[in-house]
Amino acid sequence: MTEELAYDLRQKYAEIVGVHLEKVSLARMDKNYPAYFQALEDLFTVVKHKFKSKKKDAEVFDPKDKKKKKVKKNDLELFSELRQKAINKANDFPNVYFGRTDDPKEIAELEGSLRDMEMFLFKVMDESKMFGSLGYNEGM
């Protein structure tokens, strides 16, 4: 009974994650930036427990020196920085964020920051093997 319950919970969790991934994808394709940001926030809530607390090497841009430098950060710190960057871009370009303009440069900056959040979440999910691993299903 316990194994069956654990399997049911894993199956339900995979379903929930799948729904969130779909919402992210649909909002991105629709260029609905408020929905895209909210869907990323929701996905983060669902997968946050997969974030590693161990600090690892990361490159960050230092605005003072105008170059990248290596620092030690954990997944939560890295995601928080990407999230803040997206918020800053949304504040810098509110007309793009709310779909009232189609300035390509502003769209690229805002969309790029949201995509950075999305790709980081995918990276954490992949590192946690949430997309599965070949193991016993090799070749499928």
Side-chain angles (χ1 to χ4, degrees):
M1 179 70 176
T2 306
E3 285 182 29
E4 198 174 296
L5 179 61
Y7 176 77
D8 290 346
L9 289 174
R10 285 191 310 267
Q11 199 171 21
K12 190 63 176 174
Y13 179 71
E15 185 180 314
I16 291 167
V17 171
V19 167
H20 282 82
L21 289 170
E22 201 170 321
K23 286 181 178 183
V24 168
S25 180
L26 291 172
R28 179 179 14 84
M29 289 187 298
D30 289 345
K31 298 197 180 301
N32 182 341
Y33 301 118
Y36 188 12
F37 182 78
Q38 187 60 54
L40 290 168
E41 290 271 278
D42 291 345
L43 179 59
F44 167 73
T45 299
V46 172
V47 301
K48 180 181 176 191
H49 67 283
K50 297 291 187 179
F51 278 48
K52 306 282 187 270
S53 58
K54 183 180 177 196
K55 294 192 182 241
K56 53 190 169 190
D57 287 332
E59 282 192 356
V60 294
F61 181 75
D62 185 355
K64 293 176 188 171
D65 296 335
K66 303 257 191 251
K67 53 182 145 176
K68 289 185 178 182
K69 66 178 183 177
K70 289 193 186 234
V71 295
K72 295 262 187 207
K73 303 240 178 198
N74 66 32
D75 287 343
L76 187 56
E77 291 169 324
L78 291 168
F79 182 78
S80 294
E81 288 175 6
L82 292 171
R83 180 182 180 275
Q84 189 58 54
K85 181 181 172 190
I87 290 169
N88 292 344
K89 293 295 178 186
N91 287 329
D92 290 345
F93 309 120
N95 288 330
V96 170
Y97 187 74
F98 292 110
R100 295 187 293 245
T101 187
D102 58 358
D103 181 302
K105 184 178 183 284
E106 292 179 2
I107 288 172
E109 285 194 44
L110 174 61
E111 203 170 284
S113 66
L114 292 168
R115 286 177 187 267
D116 287 345
M117 284 176 64
E118 181 177 359
M119 289 185 286
F120 184 80
L121 288 170
F122 283 169
K123 180 177 152 274
V124 168
M125 292 168 69
D126 188 47
E127 288 172 351
S128 300
K129 302 201 182 331
M130 289 181 69
F131 297 111
S133 62
L134 291 179
Y136 71 93
N137 285 334
E138 201 162 338
M140 286 185 75

